[in-house]
Amino acid sequence: MYTTKEKRLIDKFSKENDLIYPLHSSDYDNPVRKEFITNLLHNETFVPTKNKTEEKYKEPLFKIIKNFKKRDYVFVGLLTLLCSGVYYGVFSDYLFNHKNIAEKKQRVAMNLVDLASIVAVVLSSMGLGALSVGAIKQTNQEVAVDKFYSRLSVRLFSEMKKMHPELSEETLKQCNPELARVIYTLLIANMSEKDTQKLWNIANAVSEYKYDKIYKGEIGDLKNRDKALQQAMVIIESHLINNPELSRVILDVYHGAVPVSFIVKEQNTK
């Protein structure tokens, strides 16, 4: 049984999911969405800016492999055993079975070749296993970070709606998930490198949580994510206070407008 507070948290995430990933029959299933998507497709700065910011903070595969933990090496070991076992099973009748060769030196040489082939298979299997586990972790990381930023866009919408009650959730339902990507591209492209790195670290830590703490269950996972989102919101709100022009552009996006440029000149308040 969930407590009242836990039930509210579940409902909160469920509502956010509906706003982030609404169902659409097509990219043009309503006039508002059609205009938003059309303007976004004709914007020449969105895709380059989005790709540039994502590549900048994307963790390279070699770094992910370098930071493997014990459980990762266990998976690599299992894949290595599987591949090596398959190889040995297929060629078991031929490996170290050279009785038909009369000369001892030739038999020894062939046995050494067999041994070398097994070592090569083990090493290549280890490499393949490391790449496979690393790629899975990288994909999981990218998806989780994208979802984290998208949820941040909904949290930011809720905060802005307190000051701008004319904002409508219907716009999110009509223009998401693309609108969310516009919001976090604006944020990442215009925030300081220090702050964007902090955001990425928070998002990345959340992407690892479910992988590490799967036994915690749904509530433990949601509580951890909610806490991380609150930390990220403090960083974003602090930056928007000092950059009212960016705040204005983001407000326009929540009204369904696509910005002309995704690089907004910072104007500090006094």
Side-chain angles (χ1 to χ4, degrees), residues 40-222:
L40 191 59
L41 289 173
H42 286 87
N43 188 286
E44 297 180 356
T45 62
F46 172 63
V47 173
T49 305
K50 182 177 179 293
N51 291 342
K52 184 178 179 181
T53 53
E54 288 180 346
E55 284 297 322
K56 185 175 182 180
Y57 297 101
K58 180 180 178 181
E59 192 168 14
L61 186 58
F62 78 87
K63 188 175 181 181
I64 293 175
I65 295 174
K66 184 180 179 181
N67 294 327
F68 270 4
K69 298 176 182 178
K70 287 182 179 179
R71 67 178 186 281
D72 301 313
Y73 288 113
V74 170
F75 292 145
V76 171
L78 290 174
L79 286 171
T80 301
L81 286 174
L82 177 63
C83 293
S84 301
V86 170
Y87 174 79
Y88 188 81
V90 171
F91 296 100
S92 58
D93 292 338
Y94 305 98
L95 294 172
F96 308 110
N97 185 16
H98 307 296
K99 295 179 180 179
N100 58 325
I101 299 177
E103 293 187 19
K104 184 178 180 180
K105 288 184 178 181
Q106 288 184 342
R107 288 201 302 272
V108 171
M110 291 301 297
N111 286 334
L112 289 174
V113 170
D114 292 342
L115 180 61
S117 70
I118 292 174
V119 171
V121 169
V122 170
L123 292 177
S124 60
S125 298
M126 288 176 62
L128 180 62
L131 288 173
S132 299
V133 174
I136 292 170
K137 285 172 66 68
Q138 188 180 57
T139 301
N140 174 70
Q141 182 187 85
E142 291 172 359
V143 171
V145 169
D146 181 80
K147 287 183 177 180
F148 184 84
Y149 286 148
S150 294
R151 196 174 298 277
L152 267 180
S153 73
V154 174
R155 294 282 174 106
L156 182 58
F157 172 88
S158 299
E159 290 302 312
M160 283 193 158
K161 187 173 174 60
K162 294 175 183 178
M163 297 177 288
H164 303 276
E166 77 281 1
L167 288 175
S168 172
E169 289 183 353
E170 193 62 28
T171 306
L172 296 185
K173 293 178 181 178
Q174 293 167 332
C175 300
N176 264 336
E178 291 80 9
L179 186 146
R181 295 192 180 102
V182 169
I183 293 295
Y184 71 68
T185 298
L186 276 168
L187 287 170
I188 302 302
N190 291 281
M191 294 175 67
S192 68
E193 187 168 340
K194 180 180 179 181
D195 284 342
T196 50
Q197 188 63 58
K198 285 181 181 178
L199 284 180
W200 191 90
N201 290 341
I202 293 172
N204 184 43
V206 171
S207 76
E208 282 289 316
Y209 179 77
K210 192 171 184 180
Y211 189 52
D212 286 335
K213 312 289 184 182
I214 212 164
Y215 61 87
K216 284 260 183 190
E218 181 182 34
I219 283 297
D221 186 41
L222 293 186

